[in-house]
Amino acid sequence: MARDPLGPVALTDQHREQFLVDGYIELRPTSLTEADHEWFHDRATELYDLARCTGSPTAHLDILGDNLRPAVPELDRLLTDPAVDGALTSLLGPGYVIHPHSYCHRSSDRDQIFHQDGNLPWNERGHYRSHRPDWAMLFYYPQDVDDRNGPTEVVAGSQYWTIDHETDDGGWHPGDRVDRTVDPEVFADDDLEERDRAQAEALSSGLAIPGLDRRLLRV
């Protein structure tokens, strides 16, 4: 994967501090134009159209998931963007590698429940979280995101926590929801205020930590 000839742009000290404290930073690729973002949005739409037409039970992986970079090799332009490459180099070092897992997500009428992300193997909670950055997840939005079209919500500072989901027989519950007792159907309710109340209650019940800082990522 060829790096941008302009070279990576290192993070500022303020960005590094924010990442360590909050667990995330927001960046805009500097080498992509509005036309590029529209092109990526169109490719994502085409992938969902293709997945729907095939009717394959594995389309979520074959088309939308881990085959994403081969299907849209132009995504490497995003990964080699000076701002993106510079952020990853600043946090992970110059020898970082790209994990093969990826997914083309889209918002829906159903909210996701607060959950842990980034522990491997997938959907297993019996693993430690590192207090040193050893990998980072990238979210790319090819369109403007606001409260109307499903912003991502995070709990700032939660990257250092873990939750005990051990079963009585010594195994581990599948899935990574913060509160396993919550009814998922609540998050498809037409009443958005009820959804928000349920999200807050799930955090309170699952973590029992007062004053959690919930933030919406609008780009």
Side-chain angles (χ1 to χ4, degrees), residues 6 9 28-33 81-84:
L6 296 177
V9 178
R28 287 188 178 273
T30 57
S31 63
L32 301 183
T33 66
D81 174 84
V84 176

Side-chain angles (χ1 to χ4, degrees), residues 143-160:
Q143 77 288 335
D144 291 336
V145 175
D146 56 32
D147 291 355
R148 298 169 299 175
N149 61 353
T152 300
E153 186 172 6
V154 298
V155 180
S158 61
Q159 71 273 14
Y160 299 119

Side-chain angles (χ1 to χ4, degrees), residues 28-42 77 140-144:
R28 287 188 178 273
T30 57
S31 63
L32 301 183
T33 66
E34 288 302 316
D36 293 326
H37 296 308
E38 290 178 7
W39 188 90
F40 281 122
H41 185 278
D42 291 343
R77 290 187 55 201
Y140 166 57
Y141 304 88
Q143 77 288 335
D144 291 336

Side-chain angles (χ1 to χ4, degrees), residues 18-158:
Q18 181 190 348
F19 183 84
L20 291 174
V21 173
D22 295 336
Y24 73 94
I25 54 175
E26 297 174 81
L27 298 170
R28 287 188 178 273
T30 57
S31 63
L32 301 183
T33 66
E34 288 302 316
D36 293 326
H37 296 308
E38 290 178 7
W39 188 90
F40 281 122
H41 185 278
D42 291 343
R43 298 294 79 73
T45 300
E46 291 173 358
L47 288 175
Y48 267 90
D49 289 342
L50 178 61
R52 182 172 59 254
C53 289
T54 62
S56 169
T58 59
H60 63 293
L61 292 179
D62 303 337
I63 299 174
L64 302 175
D66 294 340
N67 197 42
L68 186 57
R69 282 181 65 201
V72 188
E74 293 83 359
L75 282 171
D76 281 356
R77 290 187 55 201
L78 172 69
L79 298 174
T80 59
D81 174 84
V84 176
D85 186 26
L88 293 175
T89 300
S90 295
L91 298 172
L92 304 176
Y96 75 86
V97 296
I98 303 297
H99 194 280
H101 177 66
S102 59
Y103 202 87
C104 182
H105 289 278
R106 67 177 179 182
S107 59
S108 71
D109 294 335
R110 178 187 291 270
D111 291 342
Q112 287 193 16
I113 301 168
F114 275 117
H115 61 279
Q116 292 183 314
D117 244 335
N119 284 353
L120 286 174
W122 301 116
N123 294 329
E124 293 290 346
R125 299 280 67 84
H127 302 276
Y128 295 108
R129 285 182 171 247
S130 174
H131 282 219
R132 295 182 60 185
D134 56 6
W135 78 325
M137 299 180 67
L138 301 179
F139 284 27
Y140 166 57
Y141 304 88
Q143 77 288 335
D144 291 336
V145 175
D146 56 32
D147 291 355
R148 298 169 299 175
N149 61 353
T152 300
E153 186 172 6
V154 298
V155 180
S158 61

